[in-house]
């Protein structure tokens, strides 16, 4: 696996001129690593350390870019279970209220509740959401929309663009990520809309800049801006196709515009940047994709730290996760081991791998026949495994072309060889780390905090009032099923 580099593509940022500074200006960058728990951090740190030192254990000087900024941990349970999903977790981190799993920006009774991003927008700040998952997904959605179900993407997409907003205006000025499916007409390939509206076309007519390619993203220089690059979530960082911008490119573009706008008017900004596919790697039990996504997340912070000097006023940067996914263990006993197993895990196994299990599965399914020779070659070429065992090969053959079966077969082989174990394919209840830098206010985040405290602390820092927003939007209908039924009877309502 190659290390992602932290070289910025947008050198133009260095030219942002020194405007008259608003000394009071405050900005917040909230960075969420979806599904990243503590063991995942150790896995990535040891991975780089092993590479850099050729496995010299006495050399333990390597630190992850965020290691010095750790301030505490976050507790993540939802209103109805110890194990949260990303919707309830995002809602807690955006609104300060616990809700039911699956619910987005609503309380336990389904009423719309205000988010820190909406409060920032109403206070005149510039606002942005960036993710390499899809923009209508739960984490960005929790800051931006109100829907009793996280799965009503068409409804969420209409709210993102403010066509059906609780506030009557779009809450986020900049939205960049994967997932064009709910924005394009039902008749178009890759659509997940129930109707033939072309939201991107409508957005353009309403003055949004729309980016569907890297070139269009590079050219974009103003808000409102919507960038959507894949049907749903984007590929894992180490598998990115040439047509997909990286999280780094998307975050840099959003920050470039936010810095420009806030330098012009002295208003601060609020941005949530999500590395959204560490979670997918956790669900897939794929340690290779996990490490690459985690280092991707870390590298975004290397860049943010460089950019801080160019941002007027003070910028509070908080990084945390919404929950742990997979609860990986570094060190496993295998059936072949003596009773206790060995005291080691093997990062070098991950270093030899070049692609995720998902990528390998896609490549194999492009073939007409998956023979043993093809499998042996795939292990060698993609996973860096020169000597697959009969059992490992058989697992691929037995998958009979099922995409998850194929991907599992490679992920299991790599995990076993690296001695990385997984507790589950789902989320877990484990606490997650909290990092903070950029302000003395970081002291407030110290210790073990509840996920609901996070937006409350940001609200106080920015002197916002989330309750005011909740009061304003409490009558907004958050039930997509009801609205769809009504709209189907009367198409006109759809275009309000
Ligand atoms: C330890 O690793 C660092 C890089 O992380 C390297 O610069 C240094 O030379 C190494 N020192 C030893 C004693 O191997
Ligand atoms: C929405 O309303 C429908 C119809 O009234 C109801 O069946 C459903 O439970 C409500 N909630 C969600 C999340 O759709
Ligand atoms: C991911 O990469 C593949 C190439 O492996 C490409 O075909 C695809 O369009 C990319 N995007 C998604 C969402 O899979
Ligand atoms: C909240 O609402 C009250 C009453 O409408 C208003 O006086 C106050 O200024 C608002 N606060 C903020 C921070 O918007
Ligand atoms: Zn998840």
């Amino acid at each position: 696996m190659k290390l992602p580099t932290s070289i910025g593509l947008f050198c133009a940022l260095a030219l942002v001129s020194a405007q008259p500074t608003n000394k009071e200006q405050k900005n917040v960058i909230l960075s969420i690593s979806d599904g990243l728990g503590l063991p995942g951090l150790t896995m990535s740190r040891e991975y780089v350390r092993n590479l850099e030192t050729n496995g010299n254990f006495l050399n333990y000087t390597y630190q992850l870019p965020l290691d010095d900024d750790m301030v505490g941990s976050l507790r993540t349970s939802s209103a109805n279970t110890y194990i949260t999903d990303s919707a309830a977790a995002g809602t807690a981190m955006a609104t300060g209220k616990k809700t039911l799993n699956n619910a987005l920006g609503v309380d336990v009774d389904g009423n719309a509740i205000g988010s820190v991003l909406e409060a920032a927008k109403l206070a005149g700040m510039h606002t942005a959401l960036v993710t390499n998952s899809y923009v209508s997904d739960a984490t960005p959605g929790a800051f931006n929309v109100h829907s009793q179900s996280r799965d009503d993407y068409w409804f969420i997409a209409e709210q993102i663009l403010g066509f059906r907003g609780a506030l009557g205006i779009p809450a986020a000025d900049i939205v960049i990520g994967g997932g064009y499916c709910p924005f394009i007409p039902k008749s178009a390939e890759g659509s997940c809309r129930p109707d033939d509206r072309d939201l991107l076309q409508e957005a353009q007519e309403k003055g949004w800049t729309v980016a569907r390619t890297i070139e269009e993203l590079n050219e974009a220089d103003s808000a409102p801006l919507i960038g959507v690059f894949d049907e749903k979530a984007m590929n894992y960082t180490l598998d990115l196709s040439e047509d997909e911008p990286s999280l780094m490119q998307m975050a840099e573009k959003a920050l470039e515009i936010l810095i420009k706008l806030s330098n012009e008017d002295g208003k601060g900004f609020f941005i949530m940047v999500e590395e959204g596919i560490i979670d997918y790697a956790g669900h897939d039990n794929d340690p290779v994709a996990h490490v690459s996504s985690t280092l991707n997340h870390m590298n975004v912070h290397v860049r943010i730290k460089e950019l801080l000097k160019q941002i007027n006023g003070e910028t509070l940067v908080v990084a945390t996760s919404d929950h742990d996914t997979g609860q990986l263990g570094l060190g496993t006993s295998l059936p072949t081991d003596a009773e206790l197993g060995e005291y080691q895990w093997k990062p070098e196994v991950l270093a030899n791998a070049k692609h995720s299990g998902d990528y390998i599965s896609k490549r194999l399914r492009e073939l007409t026949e998956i023979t043993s020779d093809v499998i042996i070659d795939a292990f060698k070429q993609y996973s860096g495994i020169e000597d697959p065992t009969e059992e490992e090969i058989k697992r691929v053959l037995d998958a009979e072309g099922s995409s998850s079966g194929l991907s599992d077969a490679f992920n299991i082989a790599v995990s076993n060889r690296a001695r990385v174990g997984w507790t589950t394919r789902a989320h877990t209840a484990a606490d997650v780390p909290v990092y903070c830098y950029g302000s003395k206010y970081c002291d407030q985040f110290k210790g073990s905090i509840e996920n609901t405290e996070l937006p409350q602390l940001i609200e106080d820092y920015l002197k916002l009032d989330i309750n005011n927003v909740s009061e304003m939007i409490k009558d907004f209908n958050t039930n997509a099923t009801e609205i769809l039924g009504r709209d189907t009877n009367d198409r006109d309502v759809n275009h309000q």
Side-chain angles (χ1 to χ4, degrees):
M1 192 199 316
K2 264 196 317 210
L3 285 174
T5 66
S6 61
I7 294 164
L9 295 177
F10 296 96
C11 304
L13 275 176
L15 302 176
V16 170
S17 56
Q19 300 284 330
T21 313
N22 169 8
K23 289 243 166 53
E24 303 295 302
Q25 183 181 323
K26 282 185 178 160
N27 318 292
V28 169
I29 300 175
L30 176 59
S31 155
I32 298 180
S33 43
D34 199 314
L36 177 62
L38 271 174
L41 293 162
T42 312
M43 180 161 73
S44 287
R45 190 186 304 104
E46 304 279 62
Y47 168 86
V48 179
R49 179 156 84 102
N50 176 273
L51 269 188
E52 287 197 347
T53 64
N54 271 322
N56 174 358
F57 291 106
L58 290 176
N59 191 336
Y60 42 78
T61 56
Y62 176 75
Q63 291 195 310
L64 291 170
L66 280 176
D67 275 347
D68 281 339
D69 307 307
M70 184 175 273
V71 291
S73 60
L74 189 84
R75 307 189 291 263
T76 67
S77 68
S78 77
N80 60 333
T81 141
Y82 295 113
I83 301 181
T84 189
D85 76 335
S86 288
T91 301
M93 295 163 90
T95 69
K97 299 224 161 56
K98 300 258 185 195
T99 192
L100 309 176
N101 281 9
N102 216 44
L104 212 50
V106 300
D107 64 16
V108 290
D109 300 316
N111 303 311
I113 44 176
S115 77
V116 64
L117 178 138
E118 288 172 316
K121 172 71 185 175
L122 291 180
M125 296 177 74
H126 305 286
T127 49
L129 294 168
V130 174
T131 182
N132 55 357
S133 180
Y134 42 104
V135 298
S136 55
D137 198 4
T139 308
F143 289 82
N144 207 10
V145 308
H146 309 276
S147 177
Q148 284 174 29
S149 165
R150 62 181 284 178
D151 298 326
D152 290 315
Y153 302 132
W154 66 271
F155 181 51
I156 293 167
E158 289 172 21
Q159 291 186 54
I160 289 173
L161 293 167
F163 297 163
R164 206 190 262 294
L167 296 179
I169 50 166
D173 304 317
I174 299 174
V175 178
I176 312 176
Y180 53 70
C181 92
F183 292 91
I184 61 173
K186 189 179 172 183
S187 52
E189 198 190 324
S191 170
C192 55
R193 279 202 71 74
D195 60 28
D196 263 314
R197 285 180 72 177
D198 182 340
L199 297 192
L200 295 177
Q201 172 83 40
E202 290 179 37
Q204 212 149 19
E205 283 158 12
K206 291 205 156 89
W208 287 75
T209 300
V210 175
R212 304 267 320 253
T213 63
I214 292 185
E215 291 69 36
E216 286 169 353
L217 182 68
N218 288 346
E219 279 162 22
D221 63 357
S222 63
L225 163 65
I226 174 129
V228 275
F229 299 94
D230 269 303
E231 191 180 315
K232 289 212 175 115
M234 302 177 76
N235 280 318
Y236 289 124
T237 308
L238 79 171
D239 305 330
L240 278 185
S241 71
E242 282 180 0
D243 304 329
E244 294 171 282
S246 63
L247 182 68
M248 177 81 84
Q249 281 172 290
M250 298 188 288
E252 282 190 315
K253 175 52 75 177
L255 284 166
E256 176 196 324
I257 297 174
L258 290 173
I259 294 170
K260 189 183 83 168
L261 294 175
S262 57
N263 280 0
E264 275 164 18
D265 65 10
K267 307 267 189 184
F269 62 79
F270 175 92
I271 179 173
M272 194 286 293
V273 178
E274 184 198 24
E275 169 34 270
I277 55 183
I278 297 173
D279 177 59
Y280 289 56
H283 285 291
D284 281 357
N285 289 183
D286 182 337
V288 178
H290 203 283
V291 166
S292 82
S293 300
T294 302
L295 293 175
N296 186 37
H297 167 65
M298 290 293 163
N299 274 320
V300 169
H301 284 279
V302 172
R303 187 68 182 131
I304 289 173
K305 286 179 180 184
E306 289 165 8
L307 289 176
L308 283 185
K309 298 177 203 87
Q310 298 166 29
I311 305 177
N312 284 346
E314 184 179 90
T315 306
L316 175 75
V317 188
V318 182
T320 187
S321 309
D322 53 351
H323 52 76
D324 170 90
T325 306
Q327 191 72 54
L328 67 88
L330 298 173
T332 55
S333 349
L334 300 180
T336 50
D337 285 342
E339 207 174 322
L340 271 179
E342 298 172 40
Y343 282 9
Q344 61 171 321
W345 81 279
K346 302 179 176 180
E348 63 273 20
V349 172
L350 307 185
N352 291 333
K354 292 191 180 58
H355 283 289
S356 69
D358 176 61
Y359 178 94
I360 304 170
S361 154
K362 279 184 185 143
R363 295 293 79 80
L364 291 184
R365 279 183 304 136
E366 285 163 0
L367 306 173
T368 44
E369 202 190 352
I370 303 173
T371 62
S372 294
D373 284 347
V374 164
I375 295 169
I376 291 169
D377 190 56
F379 269 116
K380 196 193 237 168
Q381 193 185 337
Y382 300 129
S383 301
I385 294 176
E386 300 284 342
D387 56 346
T389 62
E390 268 172 42
E391 192 194 349
E392 285 167 339
I393 296 167
K394 183 165 179 298
R395 206 177 283 120
V396 182
L397 285 169
D398 288 351
E400 290 176 353
S402 124
S403 68
S404 61
L406 287 173
S407 131
D408 286 352
F410 287 88
N411 292 338
I412 290 169
V414 174
S415 294
N416 282 349
R417 284 165 180 258
R419 298 206 170 220
V420 170
W422 302 88
T423 309
T424 171
R425 303 188 64 114
H427 298 179
T428 82
D431 292 351
V432 291
V434 179
Y435 304 91
C436 187
Y437 58 92
S439 166
K440 287 203 170 64
Y441 191 76
C442 285
D443 282 352
Q444 301 295 315
F445 292 82
K446 270 189 187 160
S448 166
I449 63 171
E450 203 59 56
N451 55 5
T452 45
E453 291 176 55
L454 187 95
Q456 292 163 1
L457 289 169
I458 296 173
E459 177 187 26
D460 288 349
Y461 177 71
L462 294 174
K463 300 192 173 61
L464 302 172
D465 189 337
I466 298 178
N467 278 337
N468 270 14
V469 183
S470 299
E471 186 56 31
M472 222 170 133
I473 64 177
K474 65 178 193 298
D475 296 327
F476 180 72
N477 189 350
T478 60
N479 186 316
T481 314
E482 262 177 28
I483 294 170
L484 189 62
R486 200 182 67 200
D487 286 357
T488 312
N489 297 331
D490 176 5
R491 301 306 305 177
D492 288 346
V493 198
N494 212 10
H495 284 268
Q496 66 205 347

